[in-house]
Amino acid sequence: MLKLFLTMAVSAATLAAATSTFAQPEPPDARAKAIVDQMTPDEQLIMVKGSFGWFSKSGDAVIAAGWVPGIKRLGLPSLRESDAGMGVANLMGKRTGDVATSLPSGLAVAATWDPDIAYRGGAMIGSEARAKTFNVLLAGGVNLVRDARNGRNFEYAGEDPLLSGVMAGQAIKGVQSNHILSTVKHFVVNDQETGRNVLSSRIDEASLRESDLLAFELAIEIGQPASVMCAYNRINGVYACENDFLLNKVLKGDWAYKGWVMSDWGSVHSAALAANSGLDHQSGYTLDKKPWFGAPLKDALAGGSVSRNRIHDMNFRIVRSFYATGLMDNPVPITPQAIDYASNAKVSQEAAEAGIVVLKNKGNILPLVLGARKVAVIGGHADVGVLSGGGSSQVRPVGGPALEIVPKGAAAAFARITYFPSSPLKALEKRYPSSQFTFNNGDDVAVATALAKDTDLVIVFANQWATESEDLVNMNLPDNQDALIEALAAANKKVVVVLQTSGPVAMPWLDKVAGVVEAWYPGSNGGEAIARVLAGDVDAAGRLPVTFPTAATQLPRPEIPGLIEKKNSKGEISYGLDYGLKAFDVDYNIEGANVGYRWFEHQKLKPLFPFGYGLSYTRFTYSGLSLDPSNSLQVNFTVKNAGKRPGIATPQIYASVPGRDGVRVKRLVGWQRVTLKPGETRSLTVRIDPRLLANFDVANQRWKVAAGAYHLVLGKSSADSSATTTVQLSELSIAP
C-alpha cells in the first residue's frame, strides 16, 4: 500500500510538472493582442479615457483619484486608481473614514541611499493598495530637484539622475510586486509648481538626455512601470502630453517602452494631436476642458486624422500592462481586505530612521546622554505629532491626524497642514524616564527663551510645510522660526535643531547651535524614528540626496520664474487652482545637465551642505580605490569602521568627466551602503554604467564616451576626496 501511495505521488508530481511545462502562459504581447483583436470599435474607446474617481458613480468605482470602466465581456477589469506618493492617499478620507500607512517623504527615502528600503516601501504601499481594492498607484515620482523651493520636492528622490532613477525604480518595482500597476511621473522637466499648467521648460536635447530623461530612463529600466504619466507643463513650447519627440521618439522609440502613457489630471489639450503624439490615455478627463478621448477622438477616427491602428496600439499598451504585471492572473479582490497597519508602520519607521541626516554634531552632543537632566522641547507641535507634505500625495494616517490646520484662505481640498499622530516628545520621554521634559510651543519667543535658560538641553523642532501646486517663496523657515532659534541659541549653548522640511532650508543660526538633524517628513511612526536617532538606538545613517545652498542667491534662478501673489478675487490663496498666469518660459539651459552639486562644482560655489553629506555616530575610513584589471568600468575599494560603535557607511564614487563645454563635470557614478561592526573592514565593488561617463551626441543620436583620462574619486560626499584614481578609456558609442 505504501509503495502504491509513493507511486501515485510521483506520478501526480510528474504530471503537474509536465502540465506546468506545457501550460505556461503566453508572453504579455501575445495575450494582449488576442484580447484587443476582439474589441469592437466602441470598446476600443472605453479604456483610453478615465474619470476623476471622486465623481464616478459606477458600482465598482471607489472614491479616489481615478476610475476607468472595464470590459466584462473580455474579462478586462476596471481600473481603480489612487494617488500614492508616500502611501495610499485619499483626500476624501475624512469623509469616508479611510486611512493608510505613510512612508517618509520621497527625499527621506532617497536619503537612505538604500535601494532595498525603497523596494520594501513600495511593496508595503502596494500591498495596502491591493487590500483596499486599488489596482493602479500613481507613484514613482522621479522629477529632479532643480529648485530647492519646488513645492513637490518632498515627493521626489533628489537632484542626481543615478540616485533618483535607482531609488524610484526600486520603489516602482516594489509596488508592482503586488501584481498591481504603477506609474512613473511626471514626464518630464516638471520641476516647479508655479505656473505648471502654462510654463514652458526650455532645455537643449543633450542636457535633457543627460539629466531629467536619464533619471526616467533608469527608473523605467529598473521598475518596468506599467504607465508613464506625462506632465502639465510644456517642453520647448510643446505640451508634455502632445510631445511627439518625448513620447514617440524617446520613450517608445529609443527606449522601446511597451507600457502606456497616461496624462496627468487636467493636462490634455487635444484629441488627434495628443493621440498621434503618443498619449494613450486621458486621465481624470473631468478636470480637462473636454473629454478629448471621448467624442472628439471618435470624430477624429471617423475623419481619418487618427488611424484605427493607433487606437489599437493605445489599447494594446494598456492591456499588455495588465498581463506584464500579473494583474490578469492575480485579480485584485473586489472587497477590502484586512491590513496589518502596525507591521506596515514598522516598514515606514525603518525608512525614516535610515533617512534622517545628522548635519551638525558639535561636541558629540548626539547621541543624547541625559540622565536626570532638564530638557526643553520647543516648537513644531512635537508634543502631538510629525509634519507631512500636502497635496494629492497626502495620506490620512491611521488614527486620524493628530492636528490639521487649514491655511488661511485655502481654496482647495488638499491644502491641509497635517500632523501624523507620532509624538517625538512622548517617544523621548519614554526613552529617558529619569529626565524632566518640558514642552513649549515656541509661539512666544520670550517665554521659550526663559525656559531655555533654565534647562540643560534644548531640542527645538522647526517645520517647513510644502504642498503640491504652490512653491515656497523663499528658503527660510516660516513663522519667525529663525528668530526663535537665534534666541534659544543665545540663551543656551546646548541647542539641537530638528528640521521637518520639504527639502533644503537656509540656516542663518547654524554656527550658534550645537546640533542639526534633518528629519524631512518622517511618516508613520516618525516621532519614534526621530527619538531613536537622537538617542543613538540606531546609527545616524542618512546622507543628503540634495545640496543645501546657503541661500537662494546660489541657485541657477534666484527668483522663481512666474512667481506672483497667487490669490483669487477674494484675496484668498488659491492652492492648485487657476492662477490666471500667462504662458512663460523657464530657462533650464542656465544649468543644463549640471543640476544640484554639478552646478555648485561648475560655478565653484560652496554650499551650506554638499550632496551626499551626513554625519555618523562612528568613524569610517576609505582606501584602496583601484580598477578591476578585467573591467575598466568596475572599481574596488575598502571601507573600515574605525570607531567604537556599529555604523552604516555610504561610500560614493564620483567621476570627473570631460563636459561638452570643455569644462570637466563631476558626476555620481555609483555607491554602496554597508553596515560595519567596530573595527570591521569590508572590500566593496561598484560597477559604472557607461552612460554616466558619456555626453549625448545629438547629431548622431548616441551616447558618446570620449577617449581620454577619467578621474574617479571615492568620498563621503560630493565635496569629499578620500581616495582617487584615473582610468584611461577608449572612445565608446552607445545607442540610447
Side-chain angles (χ1 to χ4, degrees):
M1 184 68 181
L2 176 61
K3 182 177 179 180
L4 177 61
F5 172 77
L6 291 174
T7 302
M8 292 176 64
V10 170
S11 300
T14 303
L15 179 61
T19 303
S20 175
T21 300
F22 292 105
Q24 290 291 327
E26 292 184 86
D29 298 58
R31 299 176 77 184
K33 184 177 185 302
I35 292 291
V36 176
D37 284 350
Q38 298 177 56
M39 287 184 174
T40 66
D42 285 340
E43 285 175 337
Q44 287 198 336
L45 289 174
I46 291 175
M47 301 206 78
V48 299
K49 175 173 64 71
S51 64
F52 197 10
W54 290 5
F55 309 135
S56 300
K57 303 299 183 183
S58 169
D60 70 346
V62 290
I63 299 176
W67 177 75
V68 183
I71 303 175
K72 185 176 292 187
R73 180 181 75 86
L74 299 174
L76 294 176
S78 299
L79 296 184
R80 296 185 294 276
E81 303 168 330
S82 175
D83 286 300
M86 271 64 71
V88 184
N90 192 344
L91 296 177
M92 301 300 287
K94 186 173 184 178
R95 191 179 83 187
T96 64
D98 190 32
V99 297
T101 306
S102 176
L103 288 169
S105 67
L107 279 184
V109 175
T112 70
W113 292 59
D114 189 334
D116 185 57
I117 284 179
Y119 174 87
R120 284 186 282 121
M124 182 274 288
I125 62 174
S127 71
E128 287 200 1
R130 185 179 180 87
K132 292 174 181 292
T133 77
F134 292 111
N135 52 20
V136 179
L137 280 188
L138 311 177
V142 72
N143 295 94
L144 294 185
V145 177
R146 285 181 174 265
D147 194 308
R149 301 157 297 187
N150 181 1
R152 296 189 84 169
N153 280 342
F154 69 91
E155 296 186 42
Y156 304 140
E159 68 192 25
D160 179 77
L162 177 61
L163 181 64
S164 294
V166 168
M167 297 300 282
Q170 288 293 339
I172 292 164
K173 191 174 180 180
V175 168
Q176 294 192 162
S177 69
N178 294 279
H179 303 302
I180 65 172
L181 284 59
S182 177
T183 67
V184 64
K185 62 183 185 182
H186 310 86
F187 196 69
V188 63
V189 209
N190 181 187
D191 294 337
Q192 73 172 51
E193 289 298 283
T194 301
R196 65 183 184 179
N197 294 291
V198 297
L199 70 82
S200 177
S201 300
R202 296 287 176 178
I203 186 168
D204 69 88
E205 181 183 348
S207 295
L208 184 56
R209 294 267 196 175
E210 294 166 13
S211 56
D212 299 67
L213 281 180
L214 181 56
F216 274 90
E217 186 175 6
L218 293 169
I220 289 170
E221 288 174 358
I222 294 167
Q224 297 293 303
S227 180
V228 171
M229 182 189 293
C230 51
Y232 287 112
N233 56 291
R234 294 173 293 141
I235 301 92
N236 297 320
V238 180
Y239 278 112
C241 296
E242 297 176 349
N243 203 302
D244 175 74
F245 169 74
L246 289 171
L247 303 183
N248 286 331
K249 168 68 170 64
V250 175
L251 179 64
K252 297 179 178 179
D254 294 345
W255 300 351
Y257 177 66
K258 291 188 175 182
W260 91 89
V261 177
M262 68 160 63
S263 69
D264 205 339
W265 274 232
S267 65
V268 182
H269 303 271
S270 62
L273 177 59
N276 291 330
S277 297
L279 180 65
D280 300 305
H281 177 90
Q282 180 185 13
S283 306
Y285 72 85
T286 40
L287 296 186
D288 287 310
K289 291 183 178 179
K290 289 184 181 180
W292 293 105
F293 279 17
L297 184 59
K298 188 174 184 178
D299 292 344
L301 267 168
S305 57
V306 174
S307 70
R308 179 58 60 184
N309 285 341
R310 175 66 188 114
I311 300 299
H312 186 282
D313 179 60
M314 293 159 72
N315 281 275
F316 170 79
R317 289 175 173 277
I318 296 170
V319 176
R320 182 195 178 278
S321 293
F322 293 1
Y323 286 108
T325 58
L327 175 65
M328 290 293 284
D329 298 320
N330 302 272
V332 171
I334 59 174
T335 57
Q337 308 295 300
I339 296 173
D340 186 346
Y341 287 117
S343 294
N344 288 352
K346 292 295 184 182
V347 175
S348 175
Q349 181 180 325
E350 181 186 3
E353 291 171 2
I356 291 173
V357 185
V358 174
L359 297 174
K360 184 176 181 179
N361 193 13
K362 183 179 179 181
N364 293 323
I365 194 169
L366 299 172
L368 299 175
V369 179
L370 296 182
R373 295 192 176 188
K374 293 191 293 184
V375 181
V377 176
I378 297 173
H381 299 290
D383 58 329
V384 296
V386 291
L387 184 61
S388 61
S392 61
S393 66
Q394 179 70 67
V395 174
R396 189 163 186 84
V398 176
L403 178 67
E404 198 166 51
I405 303 169
V406 180
K408 185 178 180 180
F414 53 67
R416 300 292 187 271
I417 304 173
T418 302
Y419 287 79
F420 294 163
S422 180
S423 164
L425 172 63
K426 292 176 183 176
L428 286 167
E429 288 176 329
K430 183 178 180 180
R431 193 156 273 99
Y432 296 100
S434 299
S435 299
Q436 178 185 333
F437 288 87
T438 304
F439 178 76
N440 178 274
N441 61 22
D443 291 348
D444 188 317
V445 174
V447 173
T449 302
L451 174 61
K453 289 179 180 179
D454 190 39
T455 53
D456 300 305
L457 172 72
V458 177
I459 305 174
V460 55
F461 284 78
N463 295 347
Q464 174 208 57
W465 180 71
T467 182
E468 175 186 349
S469 83
E470 189 82 2
D471 291 321
L472 298 161
V473 295
N474 56 49
M475 288 183 56
N476 300 324
L477 292 170
D479 303 323
N480 206 36
Q481 291 178 96
D482 286 327
L484 171 65
I485 296 170
E486 292 268 7
L488 296 174
N492 194 313
K493 292 182 179 180
K494 293 186 176 181
V495 173
V496 175
V497 180
V498 178
L499 296 166
Q500 293 182 101
T501 68
S502 169
V505 291
M507 303 181 200
W509 35 259
L510 179 62
D511 292 340
K512 301 172 185 177
V513 299
V516 181
V517 176
E518 176 58 77
W520 316 102
Y521 300 150
S524 298
N525 281 24
E528 182 68 17
I530 291 171
R532 279 173 52 82
V533 172
L534 292 179
D537 294 349
V538 292
D539 188 32
R543 304 293 182 261
L544 292 180
V546 291
T547 303
F548 274 48
T550 59
T553 53
Q554 289 187 323
L555 298 174
R557 288 159 296 281
E559 299 291 335
I560 298 174
L563 184 66
I564 61 170
E565 288 294 324
K566 302 178 183 65
K567 296 181 179 179
N568 61 22
S569 59
K570 297 180 182 179
E572 299 172 329
I573 299 172
S574 52
Y575 292 95
L577 302 182
D578 184 11
Y579 300 159
L581 289 177
K582 296 180 180 179
F584 63 93
D585 290 347
V586 180
D587 186 6
Y588 289 121
N589 286 312
I590 295 172
E591 73 273 29
N594 294 328
V595 181
Y597 66 91
R598 300 182 189 182
W599 165 260
F600 281 79
E601 178 85 8
H602 194 268
Q603 298 295 312
K604 296 180 170 55
L605 296 170
K606 184 179 179 181
L608 191 64
F609 294 106
F611 174 83
Y613 177 84
L615 301 176
S616 170
Y617 292 152
T618 188
R619 185 171 60 88
F620 300 102
T621 60
Y622 301 161
S623 62
L625 181 66
S626 62
L627 299 172
D628 190 301
S630 64
N631 186 349
S632 60
L633 294 179
Q634 182 168 301
V635 293
N636 306 316
F637 55 93
T638 299
V639 181
K640 179 179 180 180
N641 183 348
K644 298 180 180 180
R645 290 173 48 106
I648 299 172
T650 307
Q652 303 153 35
I653 304 289
Y654 295 85
S656 177
V657 178
R660 285 180 281 110
D661 60 0
V663 178
R664 284 188 172 269
V665 179
K666 179 177 284 187
R667 295 177 184 169
L668 177 71
V669 295
W671 77 89
Q672 287 279 11
R673 185 180 188 271
V674 59
T675 301
L676 298 173
K677 300 175 183 177
E680 184 180 1
T681 298
R682 191 83 58 88
S683 296
L684 301 174
T685 297
V686 164
R687 294 174 178 85
I688 302 174
D689 186 323
R691 288 171 294 186
L692 301 170
L693 302 173
N695 294 310
F696 194 81
D697 180 354
V698 175
N700 295 299
Q701 290 292 289
R702 310 279 290 181
W703 290 99
K704 184 176 180 180
V705 178
Y710 288 74
H711 308 303
L712 301 179
V713 179
L714 169 65
K716 298 179 178 68
S717 73
S718 62
D720 181 49
S721 177
S722 297
T724 62
T725 191
T726 300
V727 56
Q728 292 288 333
L729 295 180
S730 302
E731 183 175 309
L732 178 64
S733 181
I734 310 162

